[in-house]
Amino acid sequence: MSEIEIGRGKRGRRAYSFDDIAVVPSRRTRDPEDVSTTWQIDAYHFDIPVMSAPMDSVASPATAVALGQLGGLGVLDLEGLWTRYADPEPLLAEIAGLDPAVAIPRMQEMYAEPVKAELITSRLAEIRAAGVTVAGALSPQRTQEFWKVVVDAGVDLFVIRGTTVSAEHVSGTTEPLNLKRFIYELDVPVVVGGAAGYTAALHLMRTGAAGVLVGFGGGAAHTTRTALGIHAPMASAVADVAAARRDYMDESGGRYVHVIADGGVGTSGDIVKAIACGADAVMLGAALARATEAPGHGWHWGPEAHHAVLPRGERVRVGTTAPLAEILNGPGRAADGTTNLMGALRRSMATTGYSDLKEFQRIEVVVSPYQPA
């Protein structure tokens, strides 16, 4: 593994983003119709390897249902406006119209409203009534407070998502969430993250997690690199966590933990490269926030943007591209990789000769000299 000398007292490992790499065709090609994009996590099967990011600009109960009906998995933010207010629609519209100078302070005010257990129950019930797989997300800080409400509401998949989540959080003031004990005692599969490297991911896998989210500060609405100086280029991060999965399979006697790329996956080409680096699925934020049905009205933000003490995200304009069905399955209306995401994935897999996602993880990857404008 190559290291670069930053100065006489510090060396650094070279890491790669999705923009730095490309996939390479093999000796055969296929018809796109013969390619499978299905995947499975625990007992749940999906037609496409797409989860929605649990962000208010991306996932409402209605869009979670719509994504489920299109073959993906909608994940609702259980600490978002939908669980703080009986009718968050006026607030979502207000956020879309805010002047940039006051956007973060006003959002901090909105999100200061307490999360209400009865709204968690009703929102998840709304998704369940539509007959799709039900998934909700809490931060590690709120998991101990609301996990029983979430499980009692009938969630199928529980997501614990933070900027970074570790299996060894150390605190001198509060009792941290014991992930291993917590996951062991739950009756539902848990997806946890983000993780940005081999060691952190391996420890999360040992907690019993069904899936690990990979990413740190690479999303379109993040300013983590600017605010905290922390960032994990996604191609290297996904490949590192895939290596942890391989070694954990040997260690555990064959237990497979799903790797989900979360952050920096903005176009169909990024989805292709995430899976090529070892991801089983992707968690999409900005890519789905562009849908006409998206609750953000063409704007995108995450929980980092309205942190009460240290905001490290922004409300960003992503625009409105097409209906959700066209963004996922086409027909494409632009040549920039923002529509027909799954059609592009199938085309790339077919062009390079692979028939399913597990096979495609073995594709040859090269470091590309291309630099985006």
Side-chain angles (χ1 to χ4, degrees), residues 236-288:
S236 293
V238 171
D240 284 346
V241 176
R245 174 183 60 202
R246 176 200 62 209
D247 292 348
Y248 177 69
M249 284 185 68
D250 291 340
E251 173 187 303
S252 63
R255 183 173 181 270
Y256 189 91
V257 179
H258 295 268
V259 173
I260 301 155
D262 175 17
V265 191
T267 66
S268 54
D270 294 331
I271 297 172
V272 166
K273 294 180 222 182
I275 294 171
C277 287
D280 298 286
V282 295
M283 179 171 271
L284 300 182
L288 301 184

mmCIF file of all heavy atoms in Angstrom, residues 236-288:
data_model
loop_
_atom_site.group_PDB
_atom_site.id
_atom_site.type_symbol
_atom_site.label_atom_id
_atom_site.label_comp_id
_atom_site.label_asym_id
_atom_site.label_seq_id
_atom_site.Cartn_x
_atom_site.Cartn_y
_atom_site.Cartn_z
ATOM 1 N N SER A 236 -12.000 4.378 -2.148
ATOM 2 C CA SER A 236 -11.124 3.693 -1.193
ATOM 3 C C SER A 236 -11.891 3.220 0.029
ATOM 4 O O SER A 236 -11.665 2.124 0.547
ATOM 5 C CB SER A 236 -9.985 4.625 -0.761
ATOM 6 O OG SER A 236 -9.122 4.901 -1.847
ATOM 7 N N ALA A 237 -12.829 4.044 0.518
ATOM 8 C CA ALA A 237 -13.598 3.667 1.706
ATOM 9 C C ALA A 237 -14.420 2.411 1.452
ATOM 10 O O ALA A 237 -14.438 1.482 2.276
ATOM 11 C CB ALA A 237 -14.494 4.827 2.131
ATOM 12 N N VAL A 238 -15.119 2.351 0.320
ATOM 13 C CA VAL A 238 -15.937 1.174 0.009
ATOM 14 C C VAL A 238 -15.053 -0.067 -0.143
ATOM 15 O O VAL A 238 -15.377 -1.143 0.368
ATOM 16 C CB VAL A 238 -16.778 1.413 -1.257
ATOM 17 C CG1 VAL A 238 -17.466 0.125 -1.704
ATOM 18 C CG2 VAL A 238 -17.813 2.506 -1.022
ATOM 19 N N ALA A 239 -13.933 0.071 -0.837
ATOM 20 C CA ALA A 239 -13.032 -1.069 -1.020
ATOM 21 C C ALA A 239 -12.462 -1.548 0.310
ATOM 22 O O ALA A 239 -12.316 -2.764 0.536
ATOM 23 C CB ALA A 239 -11.905 -0.689 -1.982
ATOM 24 N N ASP A 240 -12.143 -0.622 1.216
ATOM 25 C CA ASP A 240 -11.636 -1.002 2.536
ATOM 26 C C ASP A 240 -12.687 -1.771 3.335
ATOM 27 O O ASP A 240 -12.390 -2.783 3.985
ATOM 28 C CB ASP A 240 -11.221 0.244 3.321
ATOM 29 C CG ASP A 240 -9.897 0.829 2.855
ATOM 30 O OD1 ASP A 240 -9.164 0.147 2.115
ATOM 31 O OD2 ASP A 240 -9.589 1.986 3.229
ATOM 32 N N VAL A 241 -13.937 -1.280 3.301
ATOM 33 C CA VAL A 241 -14.994 -1.947 4.059
ATOM 34 C C VAL A 241 -15.349 -3.293 3.423
ATOM 35 O O VAL A 241 -15.665 -4.262 4.120
ATOM 36 C CB VAL A 241 -16.225 -1.025 4.185
ATOM 37 C CG1 VAL A 241 -17.377 -1.742 4.880
ATOM 38 C CG2 VAL A 241 -15.847 0.240 4.950
ATOM 39 N N ALA A 242 -15.275 -3.388 2.102
ATOM 40 C CA ALA A 242 -15.484 -4.684 1.444
ATOM 41 C C ALA A 242 -14.414 -5.686 1.873
ATOM 42 O O ALA A 242 -14.704 -6.883 2.026
ATOM 43 C CB ALA A 242 -15.486 -4.511 -0.074
ATOM 44 N N ALA A 243 -13.195 -5.217 2.072
ATOM 45 C CA ALA A 243 -12.135 -6.097 2.566
ATOM 46 C C ALA A 243 -12.436 -6.559 3.989
ATOM 47 O O ALA A 243 -12.191 -7.721 4.348
ATOM 48 C CB ALA A 243 -10.787 -5.385 2.508
ATOM 49 N N ALA A 244 -12.990 -5.646 4.801
ATOM 50 C CA ALA A 244 -13.383 -6.033 6.161
ATOM 51 C C ALA A 244 -14.473 -7.105 6.124
ATOM 52 O O ALA A 244 -14.459 -8.047 6.917
ATOM 53 C CB ALA A 244 -13.855 -4.799 6.926
ATOM 54 N N ARG A 245 -15.422 -6.970 5.198
ATOM 55 C CA ARG A 245 -16.473 -7.979 5.055
ATOM 56 C C ARG A 245 -15.883 -9.343 4.702
ATOM 57 O O ARG A 245 -16.265 -10.361 5.272
ATOM 58 C CB ARG A 245 -17.456 -7.557 3.967
ATOM 59 C CG ARG A 245 -18.498 -8.614 3.639
ATOM 60 C CD ARG A 245 -19.408 -8.161 2.503
ATOM 61 N NE ARG A 245 -18.652 -7.900 1.280
ATOM 62 C CZ ARG A 245 -19.085 -7.122 0.290
ATOM 63 N NH1 ARG A 245 -20.245 -6.515 0.382
ATOM 64 N NH2 ARG A 245 -18.351 -6.946 -0.785
ATOM 65 N N ARG A 246 -14.935 -9.345 3.765
ATOM 66 C CA ARG A 246 -14.281 -10.601 3.367
ATOM 67 C C ARG A 246 -13.609 -11.265 4.562
ATOM 68 O O ARG A 246 -13.759 -12.465 4.805
ATOM 69 C CB ARG A 246 -13.258 -10.300 2.272
ATOM 70 C CG ARG A 246 -12.427 -11.481 1.811
ATOM 71 C CD ARG A 246 -11.170 -10.971 1.124
ATOM 72 N NE ARG A 246 -10.325 -10.198 2.036
ATOM 73 C CZ ARG A 246 -9.511 -9.207 1.665
ATOM 74 N NH1 ARG A 246 -9.444 -8.841 0.395
ATOM 75 N NH2 ARG A 246 -8.781 -8.585 2.569
ATOM 76 N N ASP A 247 -12.864 -10.487 5.335
ATOM 77 C CA ASP A 247 -12.150 -11.053 6.473
ATOM 78 C C ASP A 247 -13.113 -11.454 7.583
ATOM 79 O O ASP A 247 -12.885 -12.444 8.290
ATOM 80 C CB ASP A 247 -11.113 -10.053 6.988
ATOM 81 C CG ASP A 247 -9.979 -9.834 5.986
ATOM 82 O OD1 ASP A 247 -9.882 -10.608 5.016
ATOM 83 O OD2 ASP A 247 -9.210 -8.874 6.169
ATOM 84 N N TYR A 248 -14.199 -10.694 7.742
ATOM 85 C CA TYR A 248 -15.187 -11.054 8.761
ATOM 86 C C TYR A 248 -15.900 -12.353 8.382
ATOM 87 O O TYR A 248 -16.245 -13.160 9.258
ATOM 88 C CB TYR A 248 -16.196 -9.928 8.949
ATOM 89 C CG TYR A 248 -17.274 -10.270 9.943
ATOM 90 C CD1 TYR A 248 -16.984 -10.387 11.304
ATOM 91 C CD2 TYR A 248 -18.581 -10.517 9.526
ATOM 92 C CE1 TYR A 248 -17.967 -10.731 12.223
ATOM 93 C CE2 TYR A 248 -19.569 -10.851 10.440
ATOM 94 C CZ TYR A 248 -19.258 -10.952 11.781
ATOM 95 O OH TYR A 248 -20.231 -11.295 12.689
ATOM 96 N N MET A 249 -16.121 -12.574 7.097
ATOM 97 C CA MET A 249 -16.730 -13.847 6.672
ATOM 98 C C MET A 249 -15.854 -15.026 7.089
ATOM 99 O O MET A 249 -16.352 -16.045 7.577
ATOM 100 C CB MET A 249 -16.939 -13.855 5.162
ATOM 101 C CG MET A 249 -18.114 -13.029 4.685
ATOM 102 S SD MET A 249 -18.396 -13.198 2.901
ATOM 103 C CE MET A 249 -18.937 -14.903 2.795
ATOM 104 N N ASP A 250 -14.553 -14.883 6.923
ATOM 105 C CA ASP A 250 -13.632 -15.945 7.354
ATOM 106 C C ASP A 250 -13.670 -16.105 8.871
ATOM 107 O O ASP A 250 -13.699 -17.226 9.392
ATOM 108 C CB ASP A 250 -12.207 -15.625 6.902
ATOM 109 C CG ASP A 250 -12.037 -15.713 5.398
ATOM 110 O OD1 ASP A 250 -12.871 -16.374 4.748
ATOM 111 O OD2 ASP A 250 -11.076 -15.110 4.877
ATOM 112 N N GLU A 251 -13.675 -14.991 9.566
ATOM 113 C CA GLU A 251 -13.643 -14.997 11.028
ATOM 114 C C GLU A 251 -14.919 -15.588 11.626
ATOM 115 O O GLU A 251 -14.875 -16.288 12.643
ATOM 116 C CB GLU A 251 -13.453 -13.553 11.508
ATOM 117 C CG GLU A 251 -13.566 -13.334 12.997
ATOM 118 C CD GLU A 251 -13.536 -11.846 13.333
ATOM 119 O OE1 GLU A 251 -12.560 -11.161 12.958
ATOM 120 O OE2 GLU A 251 -14.486 -11.369 13.978
ATOM 121 N N SER A 252 -16.065 -15.301 10.989
ATOM 122 C CA SER A 252 -17.364 -15.684 11.558
ATOM 123 C C SER A 252 -17.890 -17.003 11.017
ATOM 124 O O SER A 252 -18.981 -17.433 11.395
ATOM 125 C CB SER A 252 -18.391 -14.581 11.279
ATOM 126 O OG SER A 252 -18.587 -14.434 9.878
ATOM 127 N N GLY A 253 -17.169 -17.610 10.123
ATOM 128 C CA GLY A 253 -17.634 -18.863 9.547
ATOM 129 C C GLY A 253 -18.645 -18.690 8.439
ATOM 130 O O GLY A 253 -19.500 -19.560 8.221
ATOM 131 N N GLY A 254 -18.588 -17.543 7.746
ATOM 132 C CA GLY A 254 -19.428 -17.363 6.563
ATOM 133 C C GLY A 254 -20.543 -16.352 6.694
ATOM 134 O O GLY A 254 -21.365 -16.229 5.779
ATOM 135 N N ARG A 255 -20.606 -15.595 7.786
ATOM 136 C CA ARG A 255 -21.669 -14.594 7.919
ATOM 137 C C ARG A 255 -21.382 -13.407 7.000
ATOM 138 O O ARG A 255 -20.322 -12.793 7.087
ATOM 139 C CB ARG A 255 -21.793 -14.120 9.367
ATOM 140 C CG ARG A 255 -22.935 -13.130 9.579
ATOM 141 C CD ARG A 255 -23.144 -12.807 11.054
ATOM 142 N NE ARG A 255 -24.262 -11.876 11.194
ATOM 143 C CZ ARG A 255 -24.141 -10.558 11.174
ATOM 144 N NH1 ARG A 255 -22.941 -10.009 11.036
ATOM 145 N NH2 ARG A 255 -25.201 -9.784 11.293
ATOM 146 N N TYR A 256 -22.346 -13.079 6.147
ATOM 147 C CA TYR A 256 -22.177 -12.022 5.143
ATOM 148 C C TYR A 256 -22.843 -10.740 5.637
ATOM 149 O O TYR A 256 -24.030 -10.733 5.972
ATOM 150 C CB TYR A 256 -22.798 -12.444 3.815
ATOM 151 C CG TYR A 256 -22.489 -11.517 2.655
ATOM 152 C CD1 TYR A 256 -21.375 -11.732 1.855
ATOM 153 C CD2 TYR A 256 -23.311 -10.423 2.369
ATOM 154 C CE1 TYR A 256 -21.092 -10.892 0.781
ATOM 155 C CE2 TYR A 256 -23.035 -9.580 1.301
ATOM 156 C CZ TYR A 256 -21.921 -9.818 0.521
ATOM 157 O OH TYR A 256 -21.631 -8.984 -0.537
ATOM 158 N N VAL A 257 -22.080 -9.645 5.676
ATOM 159 C CA VAL A 257 -22.604 -8.343 6.059
ATOM 160 C C VAL A 257 -22.636 -7.453 4.818
ATOM 161 O O VAL A 257 -21.647 -7.344 4.088
ATOM 162 C CB VAL A 257 -21.733 -7.687 7.149
ATOM 163 C CG1 VAL A 257 -22.282 -6.313 7.515
ATOM 164 C CG2 VAL A 257 -21.674 -8.579 8.383
ATOM 165 N N HIS A 258 -23.755 -6.839 4.576
ATOM 166 C CA HIS A 258 -23.924 -6.035 3.372
ATOM 167 C C HIS A 258 -23.236 -4.681 3.517
ATOM 168 O O HIS A 258 -23.300 -4.032 4.566
ATOM 169 C CB HIS A 258 -25.405 -5.855 3.074
ATOM 170 C CG HIS A 258 -26.082 -7.146 2.738
ATOM 171 N ND1 HIS A 258 -26.203 -7.608 1.447
ATOM 172 C CD2 HIS A 258 -26.629 -8.090 3.535
ATOM 173 C CE1 HIS A 258 -26.805 -8.782 1.457
ATOM 174 N NE2 HIS A 258 -27.079 -9.096 2.711
ATOM 175 N N VAL A 259 -22.593 -4.271 2.437
ATOM 176 C CA VAL A 259 -21.879 -2.992 2.379
ATOM 177 C C VAL A 259 -22.712 -2.035 1.539
ATOM 178 O O VAL A 259 -23.047 -2.336 0.388
ATOM 179 C CB VAL A 259 -20.469 -3.177 1.778
ATOM 180 C CG1 VAL A 259 -19.788 -1.830 1.559
ATOM 181 C CG2 VAL A 259 -19.632 -4.076 2.681
ATOM 182 N N ILE A 260 -23.047 -0.879 2.108
ATOM 183 C CA ILE A 260 -23.915 0.088 1.443
ATOM 184 C C ILE A 260 -23.195 1.422 1.346
ATOM 185 O O ILE A 260 -22.855 2.028 2.364
ATOM 186 C CB ILE A 260 -25.244 0.238 2.221
ATOM 187 C CG1 ILE A 260 -25.958 -1.116 2.304
ATOM 188 C CG2 ILE A 260 -26.135 1.289 1.551
ATOM 189 C CD1 ILE A 260 -26.884 -1.251 3.473
ATOM 190 N N ALA A 261 -22.932 1.861 0.130
ATOM 191 C CA ALA A 261 -22.241 3.136 -0.092
ATOM 192 C C ALA A 261 -23.198 4.277 0.197
ATOM 193 O O ALA A 261 -24.273 4.370 -0.396
ATOM 194 C CB ALA A 261 -21.731 3.217 -1.529
ATOM 195 N N ASP A 262 -22.797 5.167 1.086
ATOM 196 C CA ASP A 262 -23.681 6.232 1.567
ATOM 197 C C ASP A 262 -22.932 7.555 1.531
ATOM 198 O O ASP A 262 -22.179 7.887 2.436
ATOM 199 C CB ASP A 262 -24.140 5.903 2.991
ATOM 200 C CG ASP A 262 -24.972 7.009 3.619
ATOM 201 O OD1 ASP A 262 -25.469 7.868 2.878
ATOM 202 O OD2 ASP A 262 -25.119 7.003 4.858
ATOM 203 N N GLY A 263 -23.138 8.329 0.461
ATOM 204 C CA GLY A 263 -22.461 9.618 0.330
ATOM 205 C C GLY A 263 -21.581 9.645 -0.900
ATOM 206 O O GLY A 263 -20.890 8.677 -1.215
ATOM 207 N N GLY A 264 -21.632 10.749 -1.625
ATOM 208 C CA GLY A 264 -20.799 10.877 -2.812
ATOM 209 C C GLY A 264 -21.272 10.052 -3.980
ATOM 210 O O GLY A 264 -20.522 9.826 -4.938
ATOM 211 N N VAL A 265 -22.545 9.563 -3.934
ATOM 212 C CA VAL A 265 -23.083 8.738 -5.010
ATOM 213 C C VAL A 265 -24.159 9.561 -5.724
ATOM 214 O O VAL A 265 -25.355 9.360 -5.524
ATOM 215 C CB VAL A 265 -23.661 7.409 -4.471
ATOM 216 C CG1 VAL A 265 -23.956 6.456 -5.620
ATOM 217 C CG2 VAL A 265 -22.703 6.760 -3.483
ATOM 218 N N GLY A 266 -23.733 10.491 -6.545
ATOM 219 C CA GLY A 266 -24.660 11.449 -7.117
ATOM 220 C C GLY A 266 -25.161 11.120 -8.501
ATOM 221 O O GLY A 266 -26.188 11.652 -8.930
ATOM 222 N N THR A 267 -24.468 10.255 -9.238
ATOM 223 C CA THR A 267 -24.833 9.939 -10.616
ATOM 224 C C THR A 267 -24.838 8.427 -10.829
ATOM 225 O O THR A 267 -24.361 7.660 -9.982
ATOM 226 C CB THR A 267 -23.835 10.563 -11.609
ATOM 227 O OG1 THR A 267 -22.554 9.926 -11.436
ATOM 228 C CG2 THR A 267 -23.707 12.070 -11.400
ATOM 229 N N SER A 268 -25.344 8.018 -11.986
ATOM 230 C CA SER A 268 -25.354 6.592 -12.307
ATOM 231 C C SER A 268 -23.940 6.027 -12.381
ATOM 232 O O SER A 268 -23.696 4.883 -11.976
ATOM 233 C CB SER A 268 -26.086 6.356 -13.630
ATOM 234 O OG SER A 268 -25.539 7.155 -14.672
ATOM 235 N N GLY A 269 -22.985 6.818 -12.863
ATOM 236 C CA GLY A 269 -21.602 6.347 -12.905
ATOM 237 C C GLY A 269 -21.044 6.095 -11.519
ATOM 238 O O GLY A 269 -20.269 5.148 -11.316
ATOM 239 N N ASP A 270 -21.443 6.916 -10.539
ATOM 240 C CA ASP A 270 -21.004 6.692 -9.162
ATOM 241 C C ASP A 270 -21.581 5.396 -8.612
ATOM 242 O O ASP A 270 -20.906 4.667 -7.867
ATOM 243 C CB ASP A 270 -21.428 7.863 -8.273
ATOM 244 C CG ASP A 270 -20.739 9.174 -8.627
ATOM 245 O OD1 ASP A 270 -19.599 9.119 -9.123
ATOM 246 O OD2 ASP A 270 -21.346 10.241 -8.405
ATOM 247 N N ILE A 271 -22.839 5.093 -8.957
ATOM 248 C CA ILE A 271 -23.447 3.832 -8.512
ATOM 249 C C ILE A 271 -22.670 2.647 -9.080
ATOM 250 O O ILE A 271 -22.352 1.690 -8.366
ATOM 251 C CB ILE A 271 -24.919 3.772 -8.946
ATOM 252 C CG1 ILE A 271 -25.726 4.887 -8.273
ATOM 253 C CG2 ILE A 271 -25.527 2.402 -8.617
ATOM 254 C CD1 ILE A 271 -27.143 5.018 -8.794
ATOM 255 N N VAL A 272 -22.346 2.709 -10.371
ATOM 256 C CA VAL A 272 -21.563 1.656 -11.016
ATOM 257 C C VAL A 272 -20.248 1.439 -10.274
ATOM 258 O O VAL A 272 -19.869 0.299 -9.945
ATOM 259 C CB VAL A 272 -21.295 2.029 -12.491
ATOM 260 C CG1 VAL A 272 -20.216 1.136 -13.100
ATOM 261 C CG2 VAL A 272 -22.582 1.956 -13.303
ATOM 262 N N LYS A 273 -19.543 2.517 -9.988
ATOM 263 C CA LYS A 273 -18.221 2.392 -9.367
ATOM 264 C C LYS A 273 -18.311 1.955 -7.910
ATOM 265 O O LYS A 273 -17.429 1.237 -7.408
ATOM 266 C CB LYS A 273 -17.471 3.711 -9.503
ATOM 267 C CG LYS A 273 -17.138 4.057 -10.965
ATOM 268 C CD LYS A 273 -16.395 5.376 -11.038
ATOM 269 C CE LYS A 273 -16.875 6.215 -12.175
ATOM 270 N NZ LYS A 273 -16.136 7.495 -12.285
ATOM 271 N N ALA A 274 -19.383 2.364 -7.206
ATOM 272 C CA ALA A 274 -19.558 1.907 -5.828
ATOM 273 C C ALA A 274 -19.700 0.395 -5.768
ATOM 274 O O ALA A 274 -19.073 -0.274 -4.936
ATOM 275 C CB ALA A 274 -20.785 2.589 -5.217
ATOM 276 N N ILE A 275 -20.513 -0.164 -6.656
ATOM 277 C CA ILE A 275 -20.701 -1.615 -6.667
ATOM 278 C C ILE A 275 -19.424 -2.304 -7.144
ATOM 279 O O ILE A 275 -19.028 -3.346 -6.605
ATOM 280 C CB ILE A 275 -21.907 -1.979 -7.532
ATOM 281 C CG1 ILE A 275 -23.181 -1.419 -6.875
ATOM 282 C CG2 ILE A 275 -22.022 -3.493 -7.717
ATOM 283 C CD1 ILE A 275 -24.420 -1.511 -7.713
ATOM 284 N N ALA A 276 -18.734 -1.712 -8.100
ATOM 285 C CA ALA A 276 -17.468 -2.283 -8.574
ATOM 286 C C ALA A 276 -16.435 -2.357 -7.455
ATOM 287 O O ALA A 276 -15.587 -3.257 -7.436
ATOM 288 C CB ALA A 276 -16.925 -1.450 -9.731
ATOM 289 N N CYS A 277 -16.499 -1.414 -6.510
ATOM 290 C CA CYS A 277 -15.547 -1.405 -5.386
ATOM 291 C C CYS A 277 -15.968 -2.338 -4.261
ATOM 292 O O CYS A 277 -15.219 -2.506 -3.295
ATOM 293 C CB CYS A 277 -15.387 0.013 -4.847
ATOM 294 S SG CYS A 277 -14.427 1.105 -5.914
ATOM 295 N N GLY A 278 -17.162 -2.939 -4.380
ATOM 296 C CA GLY A 278 -17.576 -3.926 -3.387
ATOM 297 C C GLY A 278 -18.883 -3.666 -2.691
ATOM 298 O O GLY A 278 -19.288 -4.449 -1.830
ATOM 299 N N ALA A 279 -19.584 -2.571 -3.014
ATOM 300 C CA ALA A 279 -20.868 -2.296 -2.367
ATOM 301 C C ALA A 279 -21.943 -3.244 -2.876
ATOM 302 O O ALA A 279 -21.937 -3.638 -4.051
ATOM 303 C CB ALA A 279 -21.286 -0.850 -2.610
ATOM 304 N N ASP A 280 -22.874 -3.594 -2.009
ATOM 305 C CA ASP A 280 -24.039 -4.383 -2.403
ATOM 306 C C ASP A 280 -25.184 -3.487 -2.842
ATOM 307 O O ASP A 280 -26.053 -3.912 -3.611
ATOM 308 C CB ASP A 280 -24.512 -5.241 -1.231
ATOM 309 C CG ASP A 280 -23.465 -6.240 -0.795
ATOM 310 O OD1 ASP A 280 -23.260 -7.226 -1.519
ATOM 311 O OD2 ASP A 280 -22.839 -6.032 0.263
ATOM 312 N N ALA A 281 -25.210 -2.262 -2.313
ATOM 313 C CA ALA A 281 -26.276 -1.320 -2.621
ATOM 314 C C ALA A 281 -25.753 0.080 -2.338
ATOM 315 O O ALA A 281 -24.655 0.265 -1.801
ATOM 316 C CB ALA A 281 -27.521 -1.616 -1.784
ATOM 317 N N VAL A 282 -26.557 1.074 -2.711
ATOM 318 C CA VAL A 282 -26.193 2.469 -2.470
ATOM 319 C C VAL A 282 -27.341 3.159 -1.746
ATOM 320 O O VAL A 282 -28.509 2.820 -1.915
ATOM 321 C CB VAL A 282 -25.878 3.218 -3.782
ATOM 322 C CG1 VAL A 282 -24.651 2.638 -4.452
ATOM 323 C CG2 VAL A 282 -27.067 3.199 -4.744
ATOM 324 N N MET A 283 -26.981 4.128 -0.916
ATOM 325 C CA MET A 283 -27.959 4.986 -0.256
ATOM 326 C C MET A 283 -27.878 6.344 -0.930
ATOM 327 O O MET A 283 -26.836 7.001 -0.900
ATOM 328 C CB MET A 283 -27.676 5.080 1.244
ATOM 329 C CG MET A 283 -28.633 5.979 2.002
ATOM 330 S SD MET A 283 -28.436 5.864 3.803
ATOM 331 C CE MET A 283 -29.570 4.508 4.173
ATOM 332 N N LEU A 284 -28.983 6.774 -1.569
ATOM 333 C CA LEU A 284 -28.975 7.976 -2.392
ATOM 334 C C LEU A 284 -29.678 9.136 -1.696
ATOM 335 O O LEU A 284 -30.778 8.977 -1.168
ATOM 336 C CB LEU A 284 -29.666 7.698 -3.734
ATOM 337 C CG LEU A 284 -29.056 6.604 -4.610
ATOM 338 C CD1 LEU A 284 -29.836 6.488 -5.918
ATOM 339 C CD2 LEU A 284 -27.586 6.876 -4.883
ATOM 340 N N GLY A 285 -29.026 10.297 -1.741
ATOM 341 C CA GLY A 285 -29.606 11.511 -1.200
ATOM 342 C C GLY A 285 -29.954 12.490 -2.295
ATOM 343 O O GLY A 285 -31.085 12.558 -2.769
ATOM 344 N N ALA A 286 -28.945 13.255 -2.756
ATOM 345 C CA ALA A 286 -29.178 14.287 -3.772
ATOM 346 C C ALA A 286 -29.787 13.704 -5.040
ATOM 347 O O ALA A 286 -30.632 14.337 -5.682
ATOM 348 C CB ALA A 286 -27.861 14.997 -4.099
ATOM 349 N N ALA A 287 -29.392 12.498 -5.405
ATOM 350 C CA ALA A 287 -29.907 11.889 -6.637
ATOM 351 C C ALA A 287 -31.421 11.737 -6.604
ATOM 352 O O ALA A 287 -32.096 11.895 -7.624
ATOM 353 C CB ALA A 287 -29.248 10.527 -6.860
ATOM 354 N N LEU A 288 -31.987 11.447 -5.421
ATOM 355 C CA LEU A 288 -33.435 11.297 -5.279
ATOM 356 C C LEU A 288 -34.105 12.605 -4.896
ATOM 357 O O LEU A 288 -35.317 12.773 -5.121
ATOM 358 C CB LEU A 288 -33.758 10.214 -4.248
ATOM 359 C CG LEU A 288 -33.202 8.812 -4.534
ATOM 360 C CD1 LEU A 288 -33.684 7.826 -3.482
ATOM 361 C CD2 LEU A 288 -33.585 8.332 -5.926
#
